[in-house]
Amino acid sequence: METIKFEQLEIQQEILNAITDMGFEEATPIQAKSIPVILEGKDIVGQAQTGTGKTASFGIPILQNVNPKSKTLQAIVLCPTRELAIQVADELRKLAKYLHGIKVLPIYGGQDIAKQIRSIKAGTQIIIGTPGRVMDHMRRKTMKLDHVKMVALDEADEMLNMGFREDIETILNEIPEERQTILFSATMPKPIMDITKRFQKDAQIIKVVKKELTVPNIEQYYYEVRPKNKAEILARLLDIYNPNLSVVFCNTKRMVDELVDDLQGRGYFAEGLHGDLKQSQRDRVMNGFRNGKTEILVATDVAARGIDVDDVDAVFNYDIPQDDEYYVHRIGRTGRAGRTGIAFSFVSGREVYKLKEIQRYCKTKIKAQPIPSVSDVAEAKVSKVFEKVTTIIEEGGLESYIDMVEEAVNVSDYTTMDLAAAFLKMVMGENEMADAQEQGALDFENTGAEEGMVRLFINIGKNQKVRPGDILGAIAGESGMPGKLVGCIDMFDKYTFVEVPREFAMDVLNAMKHAKIKGKSINIEPANQR
């Protein structure tokens, strides 16, 4: 498949700058085929599934055709759901970063209509809306359609399935005939073709139908994480699973560079691979990865195409891929040559819907996993050390070493247990053992909490003008634990007790060590250790 750069598509520089900031290196097939046709002013019917980059396919031409000096409504995008409307609006705002004066407004049911009316009156050139709410504004005459010159139907088949056909036809009838009509749909049932014949002029059909992909026999898991906690969770998984070679996929060049810096700062042997690297740099990185000097390769999808290494133990989707196909290509980097493989995906917020779409498309199962705690990491490291020790014992040949240990015990006051513990500490490293010991020293048993919970003491209360919501927000924000899992919060004048699930207690204590609540430094510890 030929690679098409965005620069080849006659896109104006301001939008190209925004695309560069977003970190995308090349156009997807649907973008490469449809953007030039839409920019020529032609109507199109684009057949493409979710996850092919179709938002930019109509979003870029719409932004390029809108006049920022006119505050009138010039383009409407119809979407089946509020989630998609918000998502499309977010992407258009990112693409319009350097186009000053362009306002993009999502409108949907469930949102205060008075607020929407104020925003429309203030001057909005592009509206992204669900058919029902767009109809509502048309009935109220709060939305003037006289100057609309472009209309896009996103996921048209889904809108028809949801019973919006009549609304769509009413809206299209009201919009001036001298307009450009863009329609995207994953399937082409007869009702879609009827709309095409009735409301479009000589529409060009552009198909990008994805081939069926089979997912290799790879264990697949996902974690719901906050973006700011991704690097920490990645480090924990690397420590627990300890893969010899792993590939971490990011969606942008910038994220690759940032993550490589972070991982190297934590002491991992990581290198980055993306489109900005010269061939000599690329060769150096790949050679290091093949011979094992680099254990973690952080890459974008485009740069990773040339990776041909059979013994990759794990793949991490640090960012969920833009295209469903990319997910299959990514995880296929592991589990090669009859080996077993494992793939981990990090999802934030609404990305969980995208992951469900990937599961449907790939006909695969991606299992949710709880985020590993610091104690899980310590236990995994100790377990791996003992596995190695067991192997060494079974291999035999320890006689001379046993003699040395006996001699050391005889000439000192130490027991063999002392020596074994010291060797374990030396192998594990000072910091890891300190963490493990600290967790052993903390008593989570007798804190007065209900079963399965730990009661924590915080040295801040009502006198400092702190509310329960401040405590809840700080714990959830710093530790990444969902706020709904926080239990009872008992607030007194000078201190507060809060209950958290036992499995998150250590994470909360570690995360809150240097936290501030209402600008004040705090101390937090198990309630029984006061």
Side-chain angles (χ1 to χ4, degrees), residues 58-59 61-78 92 99-105 120 122-128 143-152 175-176 178-182:
F58 59 78
I62 284 175
L63 290 170
Q64 192 147 318
N65 282 318
V66 161
N67 176 8
K69 291 177 182 171
S70 169
K71 298 297 179 190
T72 57
L73 177 60
Q74 299 168 49
I76 293 177
V77 180
L78 296 178
L92 261 64
L99 296 171
H100 303 297
I102 289 185
K103 293 282 189 298
V104 179
L105 178 69
I120 294 169
T124 297
Q125 293 97 341
I126 304 168
I127 278 178
I128 321 289
M143 183 188 292
K144 292 189 171 62
L145 306 176
D146 312 18
H147 297 94
V148 173
K149 54 188 177 182
M150 293 182 81
V151 60
I175 294 172
E178 289 304 310
R179 63 159 192 265
Q180 186 177 6
T181 308
I182 302 155

Side-chain angles (χ1 to χ4, degrees), residues 184-452:
F184 277 95
S185 183
T187 58
M188 288 293 155
K190 186 175 181 298
I192 293 284
M193 301 316 293
D194 290 345
I195 287 176
T196 297
K197 284 175 195 159
R198 188 169 160 198
F199 295 103
Q200 290 187 297
K201 300 182 191 108
D202 302 321
Q204 186 167 329
I205 295 176
I206 296 171
K207 286 189 181 184
V208 178
V209 181
K210 295 198 259 187
K211 57 185 177 294
E212 279 293 315
L213 290 172
T214 53
V215 176
N217 190 21
I218 294 165
E219 290 180 64
Q220 299 165 69
Y221 302 106
Y222 77 89
Y223 300 84
E224 288 195 55
V225 301
R226 289 171 178 250
K228 68 174 185 178
N229 295 334
K230 280 185 180 181
E232 171 62 25
I233 306 307
L234 174 61
R236 290 183 192 181
L237 290 170
L238 288 167
D239 289 345
I240 287 173
Y241 288 93
N242 195 27
N244 289 323
L245 292 180
S246 54
V247 182
V248 182
F249 283 98
C250 301
N251 285 350
T252 66
K253 295 177 279 190
R254 180 186 297 170
M255 185 53 73
V256 168
D257 292 336
E258 287 177 6
L259 182 56
V260 168
D261 287 345
D262 189 296
L263 289 171
Q264 289 176 348
R266 293 170 186 260
Y268 296 98
F269 295 102
E271 290 284 355
L273 199 67
H274 57 62
D276 281 355
L277 296 185
K278 294 175 185 169
Q279 190 59 44
S280 57
Q281 293 172 303
R282 185 187 174 89
D283 291 343
R284 179 187 61 77
V285 170
M286 282 309 302
N287 287 336
F289 189 59
R290 285 194 183 94
N291 62 34
K293 283 182 184 172
T294 298
E295 297 171 348
I296 305 162
L297 185 67
V298 185
T300 58
D301 291 293
V302 174
R305 282 182 185 166
I307 298 175
D308 189 21
V309 179
D310 281 341
D311 46 355
V312 172
D313 298 317
V315 167
F316 296 87
N317 291 304
Y318 195 79
D319 298 321
I320 294 298
Q322 299 292 314
D323 190 311
D324 299 345
E325 279 189 31
Y326 285 167
Y327 177 82
V328 181
H329 294 320
R330 285 179 178 189
I331 70 169
R333 302 289 169 193
T334 184
R336 289 185 168 194
R339 295 162 60 93
T340 55
I342 192 164
F344 305 96
S345 298
F346 294 168
V347 297
S348 303
R350 292 195 300 270
E351 285 179 344
V352 74
Y353 297 111
K354 174 68 181 160
L355 198 74
K356 285 176 181 173
E357 176 69 34
I358 288 170
Q359 288 189 81
R360 280 197 299 273
Y361 168 62
C362 300
K363 298 181 176 63
T364 187
K365 179 69 178 167
I366 308 170
K367 299 172 191 167
Q369 289 284 91
I371 292 170
S373 66
V374 178
S375 58
D376 292 334
V377 176
E379 285 171 20
K381 286 187 173 181
V382 172
S383 176
K384 281 189 171 59
V385 170
F386 281 125
E387 278 176 23
K388 286 182 182 175
V389 168
T390 303
T391 304
I392 292 169
I393 291 171
E394 287 171 354
E395 287 173 353
L398 298 176
E399 293 78 8
S400 60
Y401 295 99
I402 292 171
D403 292 342
M404 290 181 211
V405 171
E406 283 182 345
E407 188 179 336
V409 170
N410 290 334
V411 299
S412 69
D413 294 331
Y414 305 124
T415 65
T416 49
M417 195 67 77
D418 292 332
L419 288 178
F423 280 129
L424 180 59
K425 181 176 180 179
M426 189 167 66
V427 170
M428 287 280 291
E430 296 280 345
N431 294 336
E432 286 89 345
M433 284 307 297
D435 285 343
Q437 287 164 357
E438 180 187 350
Q439 292 178 53
L442 293 173
D443 180 8
F444 289 155
E445 294 298 329
N446 306 302
T447 62
E450 63 177 83
E451 193 174 344

Side-chain angles (χ1 to χ4, degrees), residues 460-467 491-496:
I460 198 167
K462 293 176 186 173
N463 288 357
Q464 285 81 30
K465 307 247 183 316
V466 174
R467 297 166 304 168
M491 186 164 278
F492 298 89
D493 288 343
K494 294 182 180 177
Y495 55 87
T496 300

